Structure formats: C-alpha cells, structure tokens
Amino acid sequence: MTDSADDHSAARGAERAPALASLTTMQVGGAPERMLAPATRDQLVATAREVWSDGGDWLLLGGGSNTIASDDGFAGTVIRIVTRGIQRLDAPAGAVRLRVEAGEPWDELVAHAVRNGWSGIEALSGIPGSTGAAPVQNIGAYGQELESSLLAIEFLDEATHDVRRLTRADLGLGYRTSALKRGMRGVVLSVDLELADGNAPGGIGAPLSAPVAYGQLADSLGVALGSRVPVAELRRSVLALRSSKGMVLDPHDQDTVSAGSFFTNPIVSENFARSLPSNAPRWPVTAAEPDTVLGLGAGGVHPLDIPKLAGGPYDVKLSAAWLIEQSGIRRGFSLPGSRAAISSKHTLALTNRGGATASEIVQLASYVQARVQSEFGVLLQPEPILVGVVL
C-alpha cells in the first residue's frame, strides 16, 4: 500500500492555509497556497529543503509581528517557524550561554532570562515575534541591541542546502539590518546568546541589569545613565514604557494592532542634516546607536552643536517620528474612509482600527512617505517585511 499525498503533508506539518491576517499582528493578508509548520528542528530542515527542491516562491513566518501581506494572499508556500526549546550551554565563569530554537517567542525568552537573573536582553522586553527573526534586523530598544549578546546562529542556506554556523561577525549586523535582511536567503534554525549571570558567586542582593544606556529609561527608573538596577525592575519599566506607546500586544488596545514602528529612523549625510530646520533632532552616527531618537527636549543635540567625528564627513540619524509630525501628520490621523490610522500613542506606528485591508495600510504608509518627502526631501523606509505589496 502506498502513502497518500495527505500522509506526506501531515509528516511535514502541513496545515490548511489560514489567512495571513490571522497570523500577523497587523491582521491583514489573504491565505497562501500552502502552509507548513514543522514541529522540530530536523523537520524544519527537511521541510525547507523539500520546498526549495520543489521550486516556487516561499516565505518564512514566525510571530508575524513584522509582516505586511497582500490581501490576495501569497502565491507559494509559507513555512511557519514553530520550533521551541532553550538549551543551556557551557560558558565562561560569570556568563550564561543559551541555544534557543528559532520558534521560541522572543519575549518569553526575555522573561525566562530575567526570572533566572541573567542580564543582557532585558531592555528588549516586550518586543513581539520569534527568536529566529531577532538577528534578521538586529532588534534593539532602550539602549540595547541583540548584537551585544549574540554569539552565532545556526543557518540553513538555501543556496547550498547546508547547515552553517554563522558568527556575529559573519552576519554584518547594523542598525536594524544584517546580511540576512540584505539578501542572504535561508532559515535561521537556532540562536546562541551569551548573557551575564547575576547569580554568580559573590553577588549581593537581586541580580542586576546591564548598565542603563537610554535616557528615557533612566528617567523612568529615577537613576543616572550607566546605573544598574535589579533586572526584573528594568524589565517592568521597559514594558510600562512600551505599553504607553502601544508597543506591547494587548487584545483590548487597538493601538497595538500594528507592526510596531513602521518606518526606520533615516540616516543621512552631515551636510543634508544641517540643511534641515534648526529644531530637527539629529545625532551623529556612532558605533553604539540608540534605538529611538528622542526630541531636543529629551536629550537631543542641537544641529549646530553636533560633535565632529574623527575622519571627516559622517552620517547623521534623524527622527522619523519628528519628520512625520512636522509634515502635518498627527497621532490618530487617518485618510477619509480608511480603517488604517496612525497610532494615537506613537507616530511611528500604523494601526489597523478594525477590518482594515493591506491596501489601506499601504495607502496610509505611502501618504506618510509622500508628505515627509515633499516637506523635507527624506524618503522614509519601511521596517516591516512587505509581501505582495509595494511602497
């Protein structure tokens, strides 16, 4: 007796393909032709190799927090990343090394680390999505970036079908980018992290966070920059700040039906930055980049006081939120008749106010881009992955 096609689909973790709207935080997108959800690392490897060998378009989907998919769905195979597991590895004294499966929800990993008194990713609390997606755009927030804790990833390369170990240096990490985002195609299978062990011998009191490196977070904690606080206290403060901006998923808050910050903070030349209005916040790009640019009243640098960096001309980071607001777009703004709107809490977030289509989201994003470009000559770049839609 031979196996049926349905039996083979079940072995690969096939699902009846639901609309991508049900699997993404923006809640837009039609159904793909096929969806597979392999449950283990080995099944994930086998599934990806088979899909690649079959040909046709394919798409990885983790937590769906950074994906805007077309209302027409996806003409190909969606591979859902649902593998779970956290393994502790051998580590130097005072450190903890973890190997985390790609489908492990990121914030659950952060909560696990904080409960155990391990520091290094606590300021990344509340970021939705899966761990395997974290290195793709080098997630960051409140003065921390994944890069500072990342050791390596296990990567299945589409070009060779081989499993490779890629170190932090191999990934070419930068501000919300990596070699993975710039075109290296394949599947992140697991992520290796190194954290500080707050329970190491000689420690006194509650395990402490990494030094606070972000002004707004330091203010909320009532401490100076560079201070260390109990790691659990820092997580609570970050979650409170993110919640105040609608950046923590909440089924009762329509402002959280979004893909987080929709646009990245633009980086421009020094000369261009000096041509902007005098009250436009801007910062010289350095090796240690903050995640979000604050306004001048919250610690920004006046344009004429930007310190010169060694080596001559340098790049400058602008505030996308400031550019949007100064182009005349306010919190809560929506186009007439549209169910998509700017968040009422955070200008950088585009939200689905209930039943919005991907077309409505893209129309609003395009309008924001056009207003900012017309007013300041800056073309804002989207942060989410766009599937079947174009800005």
Side-chain angles (χ1 to χ4, degrees):
M1 185 174 79
T2 59
D3 293 333
S4 69
D6 286 344
D7 291 334
H8 284 299
S9 292
R12 294 195 305 267
E15 298 180 347
R16 293 185 64 184
L20 293 174
S22 67
L23 299 171
T24 59
T25 58
M26 185 65 88
Q27 298 180 10
V28 298
E33 290 180 359
R34 180 173 66 154
M35 183 172 292
L36 304 172
T40 69
R41 179 252 187 218
D42 289 344
Q43 290 172 359
L44 176 55
V45 170
T47 295
R49 286 172 174 164
E50 181 179 346
V51 169
W52 296 337
S53 296
D54 289 346
D57 288 338
W58 59 279
L59 171 71
L60 296 179
L61 185 67
S65 61
N66 203 41
T67 301
I68 310 297
S70 166
D71 301 312
D72 296 328
F74 178 69
T77 299
V78 170
I79 302 174
R80 289 191 65 201
I81 308 299
V82 297
T83 52
R84 300 291 295 267
I86 301 173
Q87 177 187 2
R88 189 165 177 176
L89 309 175
D90 291 338
V96 173
R97 288 184 174 174
L98 303 176
R99 177 160 296 157
V100 187
E101 296 302 316
E104 194 70 35
W106 174 259
D107 193 53
E108 291 185 22
L109 168 64
V110 177
H112 175 74
V114 169
R115 282 195 302 271
N116 284 279
W118 306 331
S119 65
I121 56 174
E122 59 278 4
L124 307 181
S125 292
I127 295 178
S130 60
T131 298
V136 176
Q137 63 176 39
N138 186 26
I139 61 171
Y142 298 105
Q144 275 184 359
E145 285 190 334
L146 178 70
E147 181 176 8
S148 63
S149 298
L150 181 68
L151 292 176
I153 66 170
E154 187 182 26
F155 182 71
L156 177 63
D157 193 321
E158 183 192 21
T160 64
H161 288 204
D162 292 334
V163 175
R164 304 162 54 194
R165 186 177 189 272
L166 301 178
T167 66
R168 175 172 50 202
D170 295 330
L171 290 172
L173 300 172
Y175 171 62
R176 301 303 159 267
T177 192
S178 69
L180 302 170
K181 191 170 184 179
R182 294 190 295 269
M184 182 185 290
R185 287 173 59 85
V187 180
V188 177
L189 301 173
S190 64
V191 175
D192 289 359
L193 302 174
E194 182 171 285
L195 308 175
D197 187 358
N199 305 298
I204 300 174
L208 297 179
S209 69
V212 177
Y214 194 79
Q216 188 181 27
L217 180 57
D219 290 344
S220 72
L221 290 163
V223 300
L225 283 170
S227 301
R228 300 175 67 196
V229 301
V231 66
E233 182 180 346
L234 189 138
R235 173 172 165 79
R236 285 192 295 271
S237 185
V238 167
L239 289 174
L241 285 170
R242 290 184 66 87
S243 293
S244 71
K245 301 173 184 178
M247 294 296 183
V248 175
L249 297 178
D250 180 348
H252 304 295
D253 184 354
Q254 208 65 31
D255 274 320
T256 70
V257 184
S258 75
S261 295
F262 199 94
F263 298 104
T264 58
N265 290 316
I267 295 176
V268 300
S269 71
E270 172 194 355
N271 286 339
F272 183 90
R274 291 180 183 278
S275 72
L276 293 173
S278 62
N279 62 334
R282 67 204 82 182
W283 282 256
V285 173
T286 62
E289 277 302 295
D291 175 64
T292 304
V293 177
L294 299 177
L296 292 175
V301 181
H302 188 279
L304 300 181
D305 296 331
I306 295 176
K308 289 285 186 182
L309 300 181
Y314 55 91
D315 290 334
V316 173
K317 180 183 287 187
L318 306 177
S319 167
W322 186 92
L323 294 170
I324 292 169
E325 291 169 359
Q326 297 305 309
S327 72
I329 297 174
R330 299 290 185 263
R331 296 176 186 182
F333 171 86
S334 64
L335 294 169
S338 176
R339 293 162 292 185
I342 300 296
S343 167
S344 65
K345 301 183 181 72
H346 193 315
T347 316
L348 277 182
L350 276 60
T351 64
N352 182 341
R353 308 309 291 182
T357 63
S359 296
E360 288 174 318
I361 299 295
V362 170
Q363 185 181 28
L364 177 58
S366 297
Y367 180 81
V368 171
Q369 277 186 322
R371 287 293 297 265
V372 170
Q373 187 171 26
S374 174
E375 187 71 24
F376 298 107
V378 176
L379 180 62
L380 296 180
Q381 296 300 316
E383 187 167 322
I385 296 169
L386 306 179
V387 180
V389 296
V390 179
L391 277 181

